[in-house]
Amino acid sequence: MLEIKNVTKKYVFKKALSDVSVSFPRGEIVGLFGENGAGKTTLMKSILGFHSFEGDITLDGQRISPKNIAKISYATSEHSFFPNLTPAGHREFYSEHFEGFSEKRFKGLMEFFELPMHKPLRFFSMGQKNQFEVILALCQGADYILMDEPFAGNDIFNREDFYKVLLGILEPNETVILSTHLIEEVSEFIGRAVLIRCGRIVGDIGVSELEEQGKTLMSYIKETYNYRADRVSRALDEISGEDGK
């Protein structure tokens, strides 16, 4: 289990995470939702050890370290691959450095996305780069796969097909934590939603529980965030009123 206990992350001018506690058992697909600047990326990078923080983050009771970091992979639109290396070169590198690297999954996903094996990554389109980033994260052999807005630059058909493939290839011990703004699009594929706002966890619910309550994921998020349906009309009225003076 991945456990985050009382984690706080402070930057110079703001507190990005404030006493965050949440746990992720194996075998889940979790949506991590929140506005821009809510703390989603900071939380993921804290899990990976990219940030210093107060509190504890453990994997199966052990602090994250070089001894167990291979159990966590990361797909980010910032990209973590080697741009001058080809996919074939990445396959060789990952197979040498990650014991659980899946050649079969790598080959299958490369064919699914129709990506060239012998073309340096720097010549890929942005959408192709993001697809390859996801492929590496899924093939590393990790138990926990963190994805931070991984589908930027991909069309809706590619994304929808990928969600279906993802459900089909995940093993029972694999957990995906997916940070995205595409809430309605992923609602059918996740099993749990974790909501973060201003650096705090403000919601954590299973999709099956929402169904029992007769709520959609979007309605739950709007309710939790106290979303005002008249926000746009009020703003337009105020702007129009000012222009009329």
Side-chain angles (χ1 to χ4, degrees):
M1 179 179 289
L2 180 63
E3 294 184 275
I4 294 95
K5 296 180 180 178
N6 308 116
V7 167
T8 295
K9 171 61 183 175
K10 299 175 182 176
Y11 293 116
V12 176
F13 298 107
K14 72 175 225 178
K15 188 181 287 187
L17 298 174
S18 184
D19 198 31
V20 169
S21 293
V22 62
S23 61
F24 300 101
R26 282 180 170 79
E28 294 186 329
I29 300 180
V30 183
L32 180 63
F33 304 115
E35 305 115 319
N36 291 332
K40 304 184 298 296
T41 298
T42 299
L43 179 59
M44 287 190 171
K45 289 186 175 181
S46 295
I47 291 171
L48 292 159
F50 295 169
H51 292 318
S52 59
F53 56 85
E54 300 172 19
D56 292 298
I57 298 179
T58 58
L59 179 57
D60 298 330
Q62 303 295 319
R63 294 281 184 91
I64 310 299
S65 71
K67 294 181 179 180
N68 60 6
I69 190 63
K71 293 183 179 180
I72 304 174
S73 64
Y74 185 45
T76 167
S77 55
E78 297 174 356
H79 302 145
S80 59
F81 50 69
F82 306 106
N84 291 322
L85 207 58
T86 65
H90 280 85
R91 179 183 60 189
E92 183 178 348
F93 178 86
Y94 269 62
S95 62
E96 289 178 357
H97 289 83
F98 296 103
E99 184 178 346
F101 180 75
S102 174
E103 294 267 3
K104 182 178 180 181
R105 185 180 284 187
F106 183 87
K107 181 177 183 293
L109 288 173
M110 286 292 293
E111 290 176 353
F112 171 75
F113 283 118
E114 300 180 340
L115 298 180
M117 283 290 293
H118 301 287
K119 183 178 181 180
L121 269 296
R122 70 177 185 274
F123 296 121
F124 278 31
S125 70
M126 182 59 69
Q128 289 176 320
K129 289 176 180 177
N130 292 336
Q131 290 167 353
F132 188 71
E133 180 84 2
V134 169
I135 289 173
L136 289 179
L138 285 169
C139 297
Q140 179 179 309
D143 294 332
Y144 286 87
I145 303 158
L146 312 184
M147 296 187 178
D148 189 7
E149 296 290 353
F151 301 113
N154 285 275
D155 62 68
I156 187 171
F157 303 110
N158 253 326
R159 295 196 304 266
E160 185 173 341
D161 286 346
F162 174 73
Y163 300 139
K164 295 174 182 176
V165 169
L166 181 64
L167 289 175
I169 67 173
L170 287 179
E171 299 292 338
N173 66 314
E174 290 178 298
T175 289
V176 173
I177 303 173
L178 173 63
S179 169
T180 180
H181 293 294
L182 304 172
I183 297 168
E184 293 181 319
E185 193 171 294
V186 303
S187 61
E188 296 181 11
F189 302 97
I190 64 171
R192 176 183 169 196
V194 175
L195 277 57
I196 186 168
R197 191 177 200 188
C198 299
R200 295 180 180 274
I201 301 295
V202 295
D204 188 349
I205 194 168
V207 171
S208 60
E209 185 177 345
L210 285 176
E211 292 174 352
E212 291 174 2
Q213 296 176 8
K215 296 180 179 179
T216 66
L217 177 58
M218 182 62 78
S219 67
Y220 170 73
I221 291 174
K222 287 183 176 181
E223 178 184 312
T224 303
Y225 285 167
N226 297 314
Y227 175 75
R228 293 171 54 184
D230 65 345
R231 180 171 174 242
V232 174
S233 61
R234 287 170 63 90
L236 291 174
D237 287 343
E238 291 179 7
I239 293 170
S240 298
E242 289 178 1
D243 290 343
K245 289 182 180 178

Coordinates of all heavy atoms in Angstrom, one line a residue, residues 82-118:
F82 N 14.6 10.2 -22.9 CA 15.8 10.8 -23.4 C 15.5 11.2 -24.9 O 15.3 10.3 -25.7 CB 17.0 9.7 -23.4 CG 17.3 9.2 -22.1 CD1 16.9 7.9 -21.8 CD2 17.9 9.9 -21.1 CE1 17.2 7.4 -20.5 CE2 18.2 9.4 -19.9 CZ 17.8 8.1 -19.5
P83 N 15.5 12.5 -25.2 CA 15.0 12.9 -26.5 C 15.8 12.5 -27.7 O 15.3 12.4 -28.8 CB 14.9 14.4 -26.4 CG 15.9 14.8 -25.2 CD 15.8 13.6 -24.3
N84 N 17.1 12.2 -27.5 CA 17.9 11.8 -28.6 C 18.0 10.3 -28.8 O 18.6 9.8 -29.7 CB 19.4 12.3 -28.4 CG 19.5 13.8 -28.4 OD1 18.8 14.5 -29.3 ND2 20.3 14.4 -27.6
L85 N 17.3 9.6 -28.0 CA 17.2 8.1 -28.0 C 16.0 7.7 -28.8 O 14.9 8.3 -28.7 CB 17.3 7.5 -26.6 CG 17.9 6.1 -26.4 CD1 19.3 6.1 -26.9 CD2 17.8 5.8 -25.0
T86 N 16.0 6.6 -29.5 CA 14.9 6.0 -30.1 C 14.1 5.2 -29.2 O 14.6 4.8 -28.1 CB 15.3 5.1 -31.3 OG1 16.0 4.0 -30.8 CG2 16.2 5.9 -32.3
P87 N 12.8 4.8 -29.5 CA 12.1 3.9 -28.7 C 12.8 2.5 -28.5 O 12.8 1.9 -27.4 CB 10.8 3.7 -29.4 CG 10.6 5.0 -30.1 CD 11.9 5.4 -30.5
A88 N 13.5 2.1 -29.5 CA 14.3 0.8 -29.4 C 15.4 1.0 -28.4 O 15.6 0.1 -27.6 CB 14.8 0.5 -30.8
G89 N 16.0 2.1 -28.4 CA 17.1 2.4 -27.4 C 16.5 2.5 -26.0 O 17.1 2.0 -25.0
H90 N 15.3 3.1 -25.8 CA 14.7 3.1 -24.5 C 14.3 1.7 -24.0 O 14.5 1.4 -22.9 CB 13.4 4.0 -24.6 CG 13.7 5.4 -24.5 ND1 14.0 6.2 -25.6 CD2 13.7 6.3 -23.4 CE1 14.2 7.4 -25.2 NE2 14.0 7.5 -23.9
R91 N 13.8 0.9 -25.0 CA 13.5 -0.5 -24.6 C 14.7 -1.3 -24.1 O 14.7 -1.9 -23.0 CB 13.0 -1.3 -25.8 CG 12.6 -2.7 -25.6 CD 12.1 -3.4 -26.8 NE 13.2 -3.4 -27.9 CZ 13.0 -3.8 -29.1 NH1 11.8 -4.2 -29.5 NH2 14.0 -3.7 -30.0
E92 N 15.9 -1.1 -24.7 CA 17.1 -1.7 -24.3 C 17.5 -1.2 -22.9 O 17.9 -1.9 -22.0 CB 18.2 -1.5 -25.3 CG 19.5 -2.2 -24.9 CD 20.6 -1.9 -26.0 OE1 20.2 -1.5 -27.1 OE2 21.8 -2.2 -25.7
F93 N 17.4 0.2 -22.7 CA 17.8 0.8 -21.5 C 16.9 0.3 -20.3 O 17.4 -0.1 -19.2 CB 17.7 2.3 -21.6 CG 18.1 3.0 -20.3 CD1 19.4 3.3 -20.0 CD2 17.1 3.4 -19.4 CE1 19.7 4.0 -18.8 CE2 17.4 4.1 -18.3 CZ 18.7 4.4 -18.0
Y94 N 15.6 0.3 -20.5 CA 14.7 -0.1 -19.5 C 14.8 -1.5 -19.1 O 14.7 -1.9 -18.0 CB 13.2 0.3 -19.9 CG 12.8 1.7 -19.5 CD1 13.5 2.8 -20.0 CD2 11.8 1.9 -18.6 CE1 13.1 4.1 -19.6 CE2 11.4 3.1 -18.2 CZ 12.0 4.2 -18.7 OH 11.7 5.5 -18.3
S95 N 15.0 -2.4 -20.1 CA 15.1 -3.8 -19.8 C 16.3 -4.1 -19.0 O 16.4 -5.1 -18.2 CB 15.1 -4.6 -21.2 OG 16.2 -4.3 -22.0
E96 N 17.4 -3.3 -19.2 CA 18.6 -3.5 -18.4 C 18.5 -3.0 -17.0 O 19.1 -3.5 -16.1 CB 19.8 -2.8 -19.1 CG 20.2 -3.5 -20.4 CD 21.4 -2.7 -21.1 OE1 21.8 -1.6 -20.5 OE2 21.9 -3.2 -22.1
H97 N 17.7 -1.9 -16.8 CA 17.6 -1.2 -15.5 C 16.4 -1.6 -14.6 O 16.4 -1.3 -13.4 CB 17.7 0.3 -15.7 CG 19.1 0.7 -16.1 ND1 19.5 0.7 -17.4 CD2 20.1 1.2 -15.4 CE1 20.7 1.2 -17.5 NE2 21.1 1.5 -16.3
F98 N 15.4 -2.1 -15.3 CA 14.1 -2.5 -14.5 C 13.8 -4.0 -14.7 O 13.5 -4.4 -15.8 CB 13.0 -1.6 -15.0 CG 13.1 -0.2 -14.7 CD1 13.5 0.7 -15.7 CD2 13.0 0.4 -13.4 CE1 13.6 2.1 -15.5 CE2 13.1 1.7 -13.2 CZ 13.5 2.6 -14.2
E99 N 14.0 -4.7 -13.6 CA 13.8 -6.1 -13.6 C 12.4 -6.5 -14.1 O 12.3 -7.6 -14.8 CB 14.0 -6.7 -12.2 CG 14.0 -8.2 -12.1 CD 14.2 -8.7 -10.7 OE1 14.7 -7.9 -9.9 OE2 14.0 -9.9 -10.4
G100 N 11.4 -5.7 -13.8 CA 10.0 -6.1 -14.2 C 9.6 -5.6 -15.6 O 8.4 -5.7 -15.9
F101 N 10.5 -5.0 -16.3 CA 10.2 -4.4 -17.6 C 9.5 -5.4 -18.5 O 10.0 -6.5 -18.7 CB 11.4 -3.8 -18.3 CG 11.1 -3.2 -19.6 CD1 10.5 -1.9 -19.7 CD2 11.4 -3.9 -20.8 CE1 10.2 -1.4 -20.9 CE2 11.1 -3.3 -22.1 CZ 10.5 -2.0 -22.1
S102 N 8.3 -5.0 -19.1 CA 7.5 -6.0 -19.9 C 7.8 -5.7 -21.4 O 7.2 -4.7 -22.0 CB 6.1 -5.8 -19.6 OG 5.3 -6.6 -20.5
E103 N 8.6 -6.6 -22.0 CA 8.8 -6.5 -23.5 C 7.5 -6.6 -24.2 O 7.2 -5.9 -25.2 CB 9.8 -7.5 -23.9 CG 11.2 -7.3 -23.3 CD 12.1 -6.5 -24.3 OE1 11.6 -6.1 -25.3 OE2 13.3 -6.4 -24.0
K104 N 6.7 -7.6 -23.8 CA 5.4 -7.9 -24.5 C 4.5 -6.7 -24.5 O 3.9 -6.3 -25.5 CB 4.8 -9.1 -23.8 CG 3.5 -9.5 -24.5 CD 2.9 -10.8 -23.9 CE 1.6 -11.2 -24.5 NZ 1.0 -12.4 -23.9
R105 N 4.3 -6.1 -23.3 CA 3.5 -4.9 -23.2 C 4.0 -3.7 -24.0 O 3.2 -3.0 -24.7 CB 3.3 -4.5 -21.7 CG 2.3 -3.4 -21.5 CD 2.1 -3.0 -20.0 NE 1.4 -4.0 -19.3 CZ 1.0 -3.8 -18.0 NH1 1.3 -2.7 -17.4 NH2 0.3 -4.7 -17.4
F106 N 5.3 -3.5 -24.0 CA 6.0 -2.5 -24.7 C 5.6 -2.6 -26.2 O 5.2 -1.7 -26.9 CB 7.5 -2.5 -24.5 CG 8.2 -1.4 -25.2 CD1 8.3 -0.1 -24.6 CD2 8.8 -1.6 -26.4 CE1 9.0 0.9 -25.2 CE2 9.4 -0.5 -27.1 CZ 9.6 0.7 -26.5
K107 N 5.9 -3.8 -26.7 CA 5.6 -4.1 -28.2 C 4.2 -3.9 -28.5 O 3.8 -3.2 -29.5 CB 6.0 -5.5 -28.5 CG 5.9 -5.9 -30.0 CD 6.4 -7.3 -30.2 CE 6.3 -7.7 -31.7 NZ 4.9 -7.8 -32.1
G108 N 3.3 -4.3 -27.7 CA 1.8 -4.2 -27.9 C 1.4 -2.8 -27.9 O 0.6 -2.4 -28.8
L109 N 1.9 -2.0 -27.0 CA 1.4 -0.6 -26.9 C 2.1 0.3 -28.0 O 1.4 1.2 -28.5 CB 1.8 0.0 -25.6 CG 1.0 -0.5 -24.4 CD1 1.5 0.0 -23.1 CD2 -0.5 -0.1 -24.5
M110 N 3.3 -0.1 -28.4 CA 3.9 0.6 -29.5 C 3.1 0.4 -30.8 O 2.9 1.3 -31.6 CB 5.4 0.2 -29.7 CG 6.3 0.7 -28.7 SD 6.6 2.5 -28.8 CE 7.5 2.6 -30.4
E111 N 2.6 -0.8 -31.0 CA 1.8 -1.1 -32.2 C 0.5 -0.5 -32.1 O -0.1 0.0 -33.1 CB 1.7 -2.6 -32.3 CG 3.0 -3.3 -32.7 CD 2.8 -4.9 -32.7 OE1 1.7 -5.4 -32.3 OE2 3.8 -5.5 -33.1
F112 N -0.1 -0.4 -30.9 CA -1.4 0.2 -30.7 C -1.4 1.7 -31.0 O -2.2 2.2 -31.7 CB -1.9 0.0 -29.2 CG -3.1 0.8 -28.9 CD1 -4.4 0.4 -29.3 CD2 -3.0 2.0 -28.1 CE1 -5.5 1.2 -29.0 CE2 -4.2 2.7 -27.8 CZ -5.4 2.3 -28.3
F113 N -0.3 2.4 -30.6 CA -0.2 3.8 -30.9 C 0.4 4.1 -32.2 O 0.6 5.2 -32.6 CB 0.6 4.5 -29.8 CG -0.1 4.7 -28.5 CD1 0.3 4.2 -27.3 CD2 -1.2 5.6 -28.4 CE1 -0.3 4.4 -26.1 CE2 -1.9 5.8 -27.3 CZ -1.5 5.2 -26.1
E114 N 0.9 3.0 -32.9 CA 1.5 3.2 -34.2 C 2.7 4.1 -34.2 O 2.9 5.0 -35.0 CB 0.5 3.6 -35.3 CG -0.7 2.7 -35.4 CD -1.7 3.1 -36.4 OE1 -1.7 4.3 -36.8 OE2 -2.5 2.3 -36.9
L115 N 3.6 3.9 -33.2 CA 4.8 4.7 -33.1 C 6.0 4.0 -33.7 O 6.2 2.8 -33.6 CB 5.1 5.0 -31.6 CG 4.0 5.7 -30.8 CD1 4.4 5.9 -29.4 CD2 3.7 7.1 -31.5
P116 N 6.9 4.8 -34.4 CA 8.1 4.2 -35.0 C 9.1 3.8 -34.0 O 9.4 4.6 -33.0 CB 8.6 5.4 -35.9 CG 8.1 6.6 -35.2 CD 6.8 6.3 -34.6
M117 N 9.8 2.7 -34.2 CA 10.7 2.2 -33.2 C 12.1 2.8 -33.3 O 12.9 2.9 -32.3 CB 10.9 0.7 -33.3 CG 9.7 -0.1 -32.7 SD 9.7 -0.1 -30.9 CE 11.2 -1.0 -30.6
H118 N 12.4 3.3 -34.5 CA 13.8 3.7 -34.8 C 14.0 5.2 -35.1 O 14.9 5.6 -35.8 CB 14.4 2.8 -35.9 CG 14.4 1.4 -35.6 ND1 15.3 0.8 -34.6 CD2 13.6 0.4 -36.0 CE1 15.0 -0.5 -34.5 NE2 14.0 -0.8 -35.3

